[in-house]
Amino acid sequence: MRVIIYTAAQHNTLENTGFCAARRVYTGRASCYVFSQDSKNKNSKAGKQSGAKRRCRVCVGEGVSAHGGACNNNHGPERRTMSANPKPNHPWSQKYPVDIDWDADVPQTTMVKLFEDSVKKHGDRTCLNFMGKTMTYAEVGEAVDRFAKSLQDQGVGKGSKVGLCLPNTPFYVIAYYGAMKAGATVVNFNPLYAEKELEHQINDSQCDLMVTVNVKQVQSKVEKMIGTTHLKKIISCDLADALPKVKGFAFRGLNTVKGWFGKSDTMKVVQDQTHLSFAKMISRPGKPKPVDITSDDIAVLQYTGGTTGVPKGAALSHGNLTANLHQANLWFTGGKPVQGQEKML
């Protein structure tokens, strides 16, 4: 609900606890006296417990009057944490960071635009660090462009669905933004899905291409979807390519030896009309054709867990995702984001 802010003489009509009317500021600390909703009805159980007045949360209670103007604590500008509109009076809102501005504007943009802006701002900074192998924003940006162009060469554009059946690897980041930049909608697939789950989600989403990894546990299941579902092509990533050189060499060597005994953890994928190499797709230089993408376009089909039936696809627009990113940025940084210092694991 919206709260009307009154003068000090009208404290008894203030409808929100924890808000200092004299200074029009909200914090999470015990403070000067204000009147709560419960206290307006002194005959109620809550009213009797709380009394006629309770402390708000701006100053700590030494020398505090009922806001006749005298307060020994500092309500100065450095304590101000939001506008005159306080947090909604819900039980969970008391757990929110005190510096969140509830009137903050949420810009409307696209995931592609946000990614391109990050590449321009932080080109030489580390973007990804996987098992000790790092990629800068500029390197990831170039790989995204190349992958998007290769997708467009395969006929991918607006209306296309590109599935990502990948573990947490650099492949996912490149494929995610590359598919969007090509104009497609991303469909996320859990690499641990059973074959029946893959089949349902591919057909339900009308997924055209699937990006996966050459780990036998994953690739072998996706292979069976060609010819039996809507899936037309598979783009295979070699896990060794994501590792530092020494680790990648050791990983390939180990699985070669294990393969002699039929126990390799990876699969050798032969390229043909239905199988493409992720490594080759990002090795071809060039930029994709510009695509008119708006905040209303569907960026991702994110499927539910299926606890009450078959999984259902939640259509998330570019506007939905960028708004959520903006909210998370405000939340994690207390409303004062410091560019270039954030890290996500």
Side-chain angles (χ1 to χ4, degrees):
M1 69 177 182
R2 285 289 177 181
V3 177
I4 301 173
I5 306 305
Y6 293 90
T7 64
Q10 296 170 307
H11 260 149
N12 61 327
T13 60
L14 187 63
E15 294 185 346
N16 181 272
T17 62
F19 194 83
C20 171
R23 295 291 180 171
R24 300 169 71 83
V25 86
Y26 182 99
T27 70
R29 304 180 66 175
S31 166
C32 349
Y33 288 110
V34 295
F35 286 77
S36 69
Q37 290 177 321
D38 290 336
S39 68
K40 289 191 290 186
N41 182 3
K42 297 180 183 179
N43 294 323
S44 70
K45 182 177 180 181
K48 290 177 181 178
Q49 290 176 344
S50 62
K53 58 187 178 182
R54 59 184 296 183
R55 294 181 185 275
C56 77
R57 302 178 178 183
V58 180
C59 53
V60 181
E62 288 184 60
V64 176
S65 70
H67 268 320
C71 175
N72 293 337
N73 295 294
N74 181 17
H75 281 65
E78 68 278 4
R79 295 295 305 281
R80 300 191 181 194
T81 56
M82 62 175 291
S83 67
N85 292 320
K87 299 178 183 180
N89 189 21
H90 302 305
W92 56 86
S93 65
Q94 304 305 317
K95 303 295 184 182
Y96 288 0
V98 298
D99 291 329
I100 295 298
D101 182 358
W102 293 91
D103 294 322
D105 291 329
V106 177
Q108 289 290 298
T109 184
T110 68
M111 294 296 290
V112 173
K113 179 68 165 56
L114 281 184
F115 176 74
E116 290 175 339
D117 289 346
S118 293
V119 171
K120 290 177 182 176
K121 290 178 183 176
H122 313 298
D124 60 345
R125 295 179 65 89
T126 299
C127 177
L128 301 174
N129 186 332
F130 182 74
M131 302 289 288
K133 182 176 181 177
T134 61
M135 294 182 72
T136 65
Y137 278 88
E139 290 171 336
V140 175
E142 184 178 8
V144 166
D145 281 344
R146 292 181 175 191
F147 187 67
K149 183 181 183 302
S150 293
L151 287 177
Q152 289 180 341
D153 292 342
Q154 294 294 322
V156 173
K158 293 196 78 169
S160 300
K161 310 296 192 309
V162 176
L164 304 185
C165 189
L166 292 166
N168 293 332
T169 58
F171 304 133
Y172 183 90
V173 178
I174 295 169
Y176 181 86
Y177 287 106
M180 289 183 184
K181 201 161 188 176
T185 295
V186 169
V187 186
N188 284 315
F189 288 79
N190 187 336
L192 300 180
Y193 274 165
E195 291 173 20
K196 282 292 184 183
E197 293 172 304
L198 285 173
E199 180 182 344
H200 162 73
Q201 191 166 312
I202 288 170
N203 288 332
D204 187 69
S205 65
Q206 297 291 284
C207 182
D208 305 296
L209 291 89
M210 183 78 77
V211 185
T212 191
V213 68
N214 69 333
V215 174
K216 188 179 293 184
Q217 183 182 3
V218 182
Q219 177 99 28
S220 61
K221 293 183 293 186
V222 179
E223 289 285 347
K224 297 176 183 178
M225 301 298 110
I226 294 288
T228 61
T229 67
H230 184 80
L231 190 66
K232 305 296 190 301
K233 295 182 180 181
I234 296 174
I235 301 170
S236 184
C237 308
D238 188 341
L239 184 57
D241 290 339
L243 301 172
K245 288 184 178 180
V246 174
K247 290 181 180 178
F249 179 80
F251 182 78
R252 283 195 178 98
L254 175 63
N255 279 285
T256 297
V257 174
K258 291 174 71 174
W260 298 342
F261 304 94
K263 295 183 178 181
S264 175
D265 295 318
T266 60
M267 292 179 61
K268 185 176 182 180
V269 182
V270 179
Q271 296 180 60
D272 53 28
Q273 293 298 315
T274 58
H275 294 79
L276 305 173
S277 166
F278 182 87
K280 287 191 175 181
M281 292 178 75
I282 64 171
S283 68
R284 302 186 186 108
K287 290 185 176 294
K289 297 176 183 177
V291 181
D292 183 20
I293 303 172
T294 72
S295 60
D296 292 327
D297 288 329
I298 302 303
V300 174
L301 286 179
Q302 183 64 52
Y303 275 74
T304 63
T307 54
T308 58
V310 294
K312 302 167 185 66
L316 303 175
S317 69
H318 282 268
N320 292 148
L321 295 178
T322 55
N324 184 243
L325 280 173
H326 184 70
Q327 291 168 330
N329 195 25
L330 291 175
W331 181 281
F332 292 133
T333 61
K336 301 177 180 65
V338 181
Q339 292 294 331
Q341 295 186 16
E342 303 95 331
K343 291 184 180 179
M344 184 66 70
L345 298 180

